[in-house]
Amino acid sequence: MKTNNQHINNRYQRQIILKGFGQEGQEKLAGARILVIGAGGLGCPALLYLAAAGIGTIGIVDFDLIQESNLHRQVLFNEADLGHLKVSIAAQELRKRNSEINIHEYPIRLEPGNCLSILEKYDFILDGTDNFSTRYMINDACVLLKKPLIMGAISQFEGQVAVLNAVDEKSVNYRDIFPEPPQSGEVLNCAEAGVLGVLPGIIGVQMANEVIKLITGIGSPLVNQLYTYDALTNNSQVFELTKQPAAAELLPATREAFEQTDYEWLCGEKKGIEELDINQFYTLLQLAKLQIIDVREYGETPIPTDFEYIQIPLSELKNRLSEIDSPTVIVFCQSGIRSKKAGELIKNKHSDLVKIYNLSGGMNKWTSFKQEKNAS
Amino acid sequence: MSQQELNIQVFGQLAEIIGGSSIIIPFIETTGELKNRLLQTYPALQNNRFVIAVDKKIQSNNATIAPGASLALLPPFSGG
């Protein structure tokens, strides 16, 4: 009978004999814990190679079901899997290929409330998601938890890979490249713009390669760099990234602030006028570029001094709609009733441009909120 | 291309707005001025987030452009 060591040497022999890799590199892979978020175009190839390489523990997060239009690029799935959970089939396929690794399935939608407790359990986070709200949430969570993030993203024929947050506090994160999320519809995803099937294959395998280099310490991972690849021309480039101090202010500073951040809203993925409670309002004051509008009439009190705002009384709003020039607007009044009407007026005028929030409870709520805060 | 001109590579959907994956423009001294000129020439860029790289370095603030520098415009991608 073979000893366990002989068996491991056999299975991974072709990489163990590599210069700089060795038995030690293999043991590092076996001890590593990696979370792959999104078992889609990028997740499938990354998972296949991470499992094959002998990563000891792999978590997979995805709440989606397998659809026919996934099959041209999501190579862990076959025709018989349609309608099944991606995480279940992915885990089952990986276990067939490597029975000696631990695979954890998370068939859930990652949200600020559950994100930190899952990410905490892993050493490296691989982002293969397909929307900006999740991408910004994962980035911010990795900064809070000090977890290295391997970011991959694709569009049509082009891909990007970066290793973020990898070494220390001086390492860049996604907000150092793109501080604020694009608004909904600004950047098209695969469903809207299409994607060449092999592209996520190439980019997903590159992400797996970056993880393996980070764990084993071989080569030069894309730390603080953005790699770009064009499948049509084979043009690939590496851009240097630098820390952007102003971007740090956009990050939630604490777990509590993170958990209260509405990433779907920040990314404009919610429609219509939304009610904003006082805690959300307080958090967002620090997080996003906002235009805050007081729609009370002149002379009404209290006058808030803790944030910047402009006053456009409801009676004048119809003639002053052109003054609204931010993609994100919060309206308030004394109790939240007149401001709701104001929100409707703004929405009718700026239906495509503006994301509108109504401060629930208005200045009444704000005053009592401030009193409680000062008392505590 | 002379020293008086700059070559700009354009990535992703920005190429559709600009009408090609690379353009040549008259020399301009800073990334801030470059951004203004691009927005004037291609107003649709207003609705698209992008960063400017000068000689393979992503610039978050207004940066100087040296004659002969290679420039790139990169948008964020969301697809996975």
Side-chain angles (χ1 to χ4, degrees):
Chain A
M1 213 182 91
K2 283 181 196 168
T3 67
N4 195 35
N5 257 353
Q6 276 173 328
H7 165 71
I8 287 172
N9 280 336
N10 265 343
R11 174 159 193 151
Y12 302 109
Q13 194 254 358
R14 298 295 195 276
Q15 64 191 28
I16 288 173
I17 60 172
L18 286 169
K19 199 177 167 188
F21 197 99
Q23 193 74 47
E24 197 190 331
Q26 196 58 50
E27 281 163 17
K28 285 180 183 166
L29 294 185
R33 304 176 58 88
I34 295 171
L35 185 68
V36 175
I37 307 175
L42 295 170
C44 285
L47 284 165
L48 275 165
Y49 278 93
L50 292 172
I55 300 289
T57 304
I58 300 176
I60 314 169
V61 184
D62 203 311
F63 63 91
D64 241 346
L65 306 177
I66 299 162
Q67 297 176 329
E68 197 171 15
S69 62
N70 299 150
L71 299 181
H72 91 298
R73 67 190 187 287
Q74 302 184 14
V75 291
L76 274 168
F77 313 132
N78 66 46
E79 291 169 10
D81 301 328
L82 298 182
H84 288 83
L85 269 171
K86 288 184 180 180
V87 279
S88 310
I89 302 294
Q92 174 191 312
E93 289 299 316
L94 297 178
R95 287 185 188 114
K96 275 190 218 164
R97 287 161 169 82
N98 196 342
S99 59
E100 290 158 350
I101 60 173
N102 300 309
I103 296 169
H104 300 297
E105 302 164 41
Y106 301 93
I108 54 165
R109 186 188 284 272
L110 212 56
E111 289 167 346
N114 60 24
C115 185
L116 298 177
S117 63
I118 296 172
L119 268 61
E120 277 178 322
K121 298 184 183 131
Y122 294 86
D123 310 320
F124 297 90
I125 313 299
L126 195 146
D127 179 1
T129 59
D130 64 357
N131 62 83
F132 283 115
S133 59
T134 316
R135 287 183 176 279
Y136 277 82
M137 176 179 70
I138 293 168
N139 176 73
D140 293 359
C142 285
V143 174
L144 265 179
L145 299 172
K146 301 187 168 60
K147 300 277 180 190
L149 170 63
I150 295 86
M151 186 286 297
I154 49 173
S155 174
Q156 298 187 323
F157 304 101
E158 293 175 57
Q160 298 175 337
V161 182
V163 175
L164 303 169
N165 210 35
V167 184
D168 53 32
E169 269 126 42
K170 289 185 195 121
S171 304
V172 301
N173 67 74
Y174 195 67
R175 288 187 188 266
D176 292 310
I177 321 173
F178 300 107
E180 288 181 89
Q183 292 300 295
S184 182
E186 188 182 310
V187 178
L188 302 178
N189 64 24
C190 296
E192 294 155 339
V195 62
L196 191 70
V198 295
L199 176 71
I202 294 165
I203 300 297
V205 172
Q206 296 226 10
M207 293 167 80
N209 185 37
E210 293 307 307
V211 177
I212 290 167
K213 288 193 291 181
L214 284 168
I215 297 169
T216 57
I218 59 170
S220 318
L222 291 164
V223 173
N224 299 344
Q225 294 176 321
L226 177 71
Y227 167 90
T228 65
Y229 174 78
D230 185 335
L232 290 180
T233 59
N234 288 313
N235 181 359
S236 66
Q237 296 183 52
V238 176
F239 293 90
E240 300 296 323
L241 304 171
T242 45
K243 199 94 196 124
Q244 191 178 339
E249 287 163 26
L250 298 164
L251 292 160
T254 62
R255 293 178 75 109
E256 290 68 33
F258 173 83
E259 282 165 2
Q260 282 171 19
T261 302
D262 187 338
Y263 284 90
E264 287 184 348
W265 173 72
L266 280 179
C267 298
E269 291 167 10
K270 283 188 174 172
K271 306 269 175 262
I273 301 172
E274 300 264 345
E275 291 292 312
L276 192 65
D277 76 34
I278 205 78
N279 288 307
Q280 291 170 314
F281 176 64
Y282 188 69
T283 308
L284 288 168
L285 282 180
Q286 295 143 37
L287 279 178
K289 278 189 187 157
L290 304 165
Q291 188 173 29
I292 303 176
I293 303 168
D294 182 359
V295 301
R296 295 175 299 174
E297 300 303 314
Y298 296 113
E300 288 193 57
T301 56
I303 294 165
T305 52
D306 315 87
F307 54 85
E308 285 185 16
Y309 66 97
I310 58 168
Q311 186 169 22
I312 308 181
L314 185 58
S315 58
E316 296 179 9
L317 183 61
K318 262 189 189 153
N319 301 321
R320 294 178 60 185
L321 284 166
S322 59
E323 289 176 44
I324 291 152
D325 56 10
S326 163
T328 303
V329 171
I330 297 178
V331 283
F332 73 86
C333 63
Q334 205 64 22
S335 69
I337 293 171
R338 281 176 290 168
S339 53
K340 195 166 186 172
K341 276 188 199 155
E344 295 288 354
L345 276 172
I346 296 167
K347 192 180 150 215
N348 290 338
K349 167 79 178 176
H350 297 278
S351 57
D352 294 321
L353 290 174
V354 178
K355 182 72 222 155
I356 307 151
Y357 252 108
N358 179 33
L359 178 60
S360 283
M363 273 304 102
N364 295 339
K365 262 273 154 58
W366 177 250
T367 307
S368 54
F369 176 78
K370 289 294 292 179
Q371 280 166 355
E372 276 171 41
K373 260 202 124 44
N374 290 337
S376 66
Chain B
M1 201 181 82
S2 73
Q3 288 281 297
Q4 299 307 309
E5 291 175 325
L6 291 166
N7 185 29
I8 309 178
Q9 288 184 81
V10 186
F11 288 78
Q13 285 176 57
L14 301 177
E16 284 169 35
I17 294 170
I18 284 174
S21 56
S22 129
I23 47 168
I24 292 173
I25 63 156
F27 182 74
I28 203 161
E29 281 181 357
T30 66
T31 54
E33 291 170 60
L34 171 64
K35 194 159 193 172
N36 288 339
R37 188 186 293 176
L38 287 169
L39 291 175
Q40 273 171 15
T41 317
Y42 309 100
L45 280 180
Q46 197 83 49
N47 302 320
N48 285 264
R49 224 147 286 226
F50 62 90
V51 283
I52 298 173
V54 180
D55 290 329
K56 299 282 177 76
K57 290 193 175 67
I58 305 277
Q59 305 295 334
S60 44
N61 302 315
N62 194 11
T64 312
I65 301 171
S70 71
L71 303 177
L73 309 181
L74 298 113
F77 292 161
S78 69

